[in-house]
Amino acid sequence: MTAANLTRLGPLALAAGANDSHEFSACAGEGVVRLQQRGAGGIRLLLNGEPIRVPDDDASEIAVSLQPANTLTVSTAAERGGGATTLRVTQQVEADLGLQRQGYFGLNTCDMARQREFYKVLGFRGEIYPAGPETSTSFARSMGFEDDYLIYVSLHSLIDPPEMPFVDTVQFRGDSFRDEPPYAALNHLGMTYATYATTDLERDYDFLRARGVEFLSAPATAADGERFVFLREPDGAFWKLIQEGEPGAAAKTPNFTRLVNTNVNVADLERSREFYRLLGFTESLPRSLQAAGEVAAAHGFTQPIEFSGEDVSLGAGTDGATLQLRQWRTPFDPAPPYAPPVNHLGIDRINFYVDDLTATIETMTQLGFRQLGPIGGWPQLGIVFFFDPDGVKVQFAGPQSDA
C-alpha cells in the first residue's frame, strides 16, 4: 500500500470580493482545508452547505468531512488587506494500484515512413511494425473517439529483439487525424519531451546534426553538472539527450543506452507529486533549476528560466521507470494539455502495465478519478485512460480479472 496526500481542490488564489462555488471529487472520509498567508479580511466557507469555522491564523489547517461529490463555496470580503491567500483541500489516502513498469510513451506522427527512418538514424535497433490493428472500435472508444479510427502503429526500442520501454508511434489517418502541432516550447503544461542517455553526447550531437537533425542549441551544462541538449524530431516534438557514462570507441550510430525519463509539466508540483506517489512513484530526487545564458538557450529561451522539479521513480519490485515533473515559473505557459482524443501530433500519453486492470480501475474510481472512456483491447490485455491533475492522459494496461 502507498500513502499519498492528494489535493482534492486547488490551490485556489482567493481574491477580494469573491463568491465562488467549486465542485470536486474525493473519498468519503476525513480531509483538510488549508489556508495559507491569509492576511487581514474575512473569509467564509461552506462545504456541502455546512459552514466551516475559519480561524484568524495566517496559516490554518481545518479538519473537514468529505463525500464522493463535494461543493465548496468561498466568499471573501470586498476589501482585504495583507498578502495573497491560497486555499487547498487535501485528503490522505492509501492504495495499491499494482504498477509493474512503464511500457512506453506515445508519440504521434503525420508520416510513419519518415519517422521510422528517423529512429534508424538515432540508432534504434528494435522495431515491431505493424504493431496494432489499423482500425478498432474498442481501442477507439477507450481513447475518446466517437467513431472508429484508422491508424498505423509501430513500436521502437534501443534493443533488438525489441523490448520495453518502447516509443509507441502512431499515425492517425484520414478523418482520424487532428492537424494540431506539438507544443512549441518546453514550458507548456503536459508532456513535452522524453530523455535518453548517451555515452558520447558531443559525438552524437555532431553525428545527428550532419544528418539534418534539428537542435535547439549546442550541448550545455546545468548547475548540477548535467550535460544535455534538446533536439526536435521530424514532426517538431522535443527529445532530450544527456551525457551518462564514459565515451567508448567511435560508433557508426549514436550511443544511446536507455530511456532515462519522460517529462510531465505541471501547474502545481505538490498536487502532481502526490498523485504520482499514489501510482507508486515513491522515490524522489529534487531537480529545480534557475538559469540564464547558454543553459536557458539550450531550453529554447532567450530570457532567464526557472522551474521547480522532482524526478520521481517507481519503487522496489518494478523497472524503476522515472518521470520528470516540472513546474515552470519563468516563463510559464498555462495553456492546458491536449484534449482528447489522442490524435494530434507530438508526445502525449504514458503507458504503465499493471497486475490486474480490473482492480486498478476499481481503485482509481473509488478514489474519485475520471476515466476517459471504456476499456479497450482484449480480456488478456486491456487498456484504459485516466487523467492526472492537469489532464495528462495516463494509460493503464493489463489483464482483466473479471473478463
Side-chain angles (χ1 to χ4, degrees):
M1 301 291 283
T2 301
N5 192 28
L6 298 179
T7 294
R8 293 307 198 173
L9 176 66
L12 304 177
L14 304 186
N19 187 13
D20 302 318
S21 291
H22 306 272
E23 296 181 352
F24 64 96
S25 299
C27 304
E30 296 180 354
V32 173
V33 175
R34 287 168 42 191
L35 288 166
Q36 294 182 315
Q37 299 178 356
R38 189 166 65 84
I43 297 176
R44 295 182 64 248
L45 302 176
L46 292 176
L47 178 61
N48 300 326
E50 297 294 327
I52 299 174
R53 181 181 175 277
V54 179
D56 292 330
D57 302 333
D58 282 351
S60 304
E61 293 194 356
I62 309 163
V64 294
S65 179
L66 300 177
Q67 303 299 323
N70 302 272
T71 301
L72 181 70
T73 301
V74 182
S75 302
T76 59
E79 295 184 6
R80 302 181 62 246
T85 300
T86 60
L87 180 149
R88 185 192 301 264
V89 181
T90 64
Q91 186 174 43
Q92 190 78 21
V93 302
E94 286 189 345
D96 181 1
L97 293 169
L99 265 69
Q100 298 174 345
R101 65 176 301 159
Q102 179 177 342
Y104 54 76
F105 68 88
L107 188 148
N108 297 339
T109 181
C110 68
D111 189 331
M112 179 63 77
R114 182 185 65 185
Q115 193 70 14
R116 291 172 66 202
E117 289 303 312
F118 172 71
Y119 293 131
K120 291 179 183 178
V121 171
L122 294 182
F124 281 69
R125 297 185 295 275
E127 180 189 51
I128 302 174
Y129 177 78
E134 291 192 25
T135 185
S136 168
T137 300
S138 171
F139 281 121
R141 296 295 181 274
S142 70
M143 294 182 179
F145 284 90
E146 294 182 359
D147 300 313
D148 292 355
Y149 59 39
L150 184 63
I151 60 174
Y152 293 133
V153 183
S154 65
L155 298 174
H156 296 267
S157 167
L158 292 172
I159 306 298
D160 188 23
E163 63 179 42
M164 296 182 284
F166 297 112
V167 186
D168 178 40
T169 305
V170 179
Q171 179 183 349
F172 289 91
R173 301 156 55 199
D175 293 339
S176 304
F177 174 62
R178 183 167 99 217
D179 189 10
E180 185 174 350
Y183 300 140
L186 291 170
N187 61 337
H188 196 294
L189 283 178
M191 294 181 65
T192 57
Y193 62 88
T195 303
Y196 279 87
T198 171
T199 57
D200 199 330
L201 183 65
E202 310 298 330
R203 186 190 298 159
D204 289 352
Y205 170 71
D206 292 336
F207 177 91
L208 294 173
R209 279 192 71 205
R211 286 154 181 78
V213 175
E214 176 189 354
F215 287 85
L216 298 190
S217 73
T221 304
D224 62 1
E226 180 183 78
R227 187 75 172 160
F228 72 96
V229 71
F230 282 97
L231 63 82
R232 285 185 180 272
E233 51 82 63
D235 290 294
F238 298 103
W239 289 44
K240 182 181 181 182
L241 307 182
I242 66 169
Q243 175 71 39
E244 188 177 79
E246 297 297 325
K252 295 182 180 180
T253 60
N255 299 270
F256 293 8
T257 57
R258 67 185 184 101
L259 173 66
V260 179
N261 55 56
T262 44
N263 156 262
V264 183
N265 288 339
V266 304
D268 183 78
L269 186 60
E270 176 186 342
R271 181 178 66 182
S272 293
R273 175 69 192 92
E274 293 302 309
F275 171 81
Y276 286 103
R277 187 190 305 279
L278 175 72
L279 267 57
F281 286 82
T282 54
E283 301 175 4
S284 180
L285 177 66
R287 293 296 296 270
S288 299
L289 177 69
Q290 288 181 294
E294 71 169 16
V295 174
H299 286 80
F301 296 99
T302 57
Q303 76 261 45
I305 63 173
E306 179 182 1
F307 56 71
S308 299
E310 290 190 39
D311 291 358
V312 297
S313 301
L314 290 172
T318 69
D319 70 338
T322 298
L323 301 180
Q324 196 166 76
L325 304 182
R326 297 291 182 264
Q327 181 181 347
W328 280 81
R329 302 190 183 278
T330 304
F332 173 60
D333 184 350
Y338 296 115
V342 293
N343 58 344
H344 50 78
L345 295 174
I347 296 173
D348 181 53
R349 63 199 177 279
I350 316 172
N351 164 275
F352 298 107
Y353 284 94
V354 298
D355 297 322
D356 183 336
L357 185 62
T358 303
T360 299
I361 293 171
E362 181 178 353
T363 300
M364 289 292 288
T365 303
Q366 289 174 348
L367 291 171
F369 294 104
R370 181 164 62 96
Q371 188 174 324
L372 171 58
I375 300 172
W378 310 276
Q380 64 272 25
L381 183 63
I383 67 167
V384 70
F385 288 86
F386 282 85
F387 293 96
D388 86 348
D390 290 296
V392 174
K393 288 168 281 295
V394 177
Q395 178 184 326
F396 299 117
Q400 302 175 56
S401 60
D402 63 351

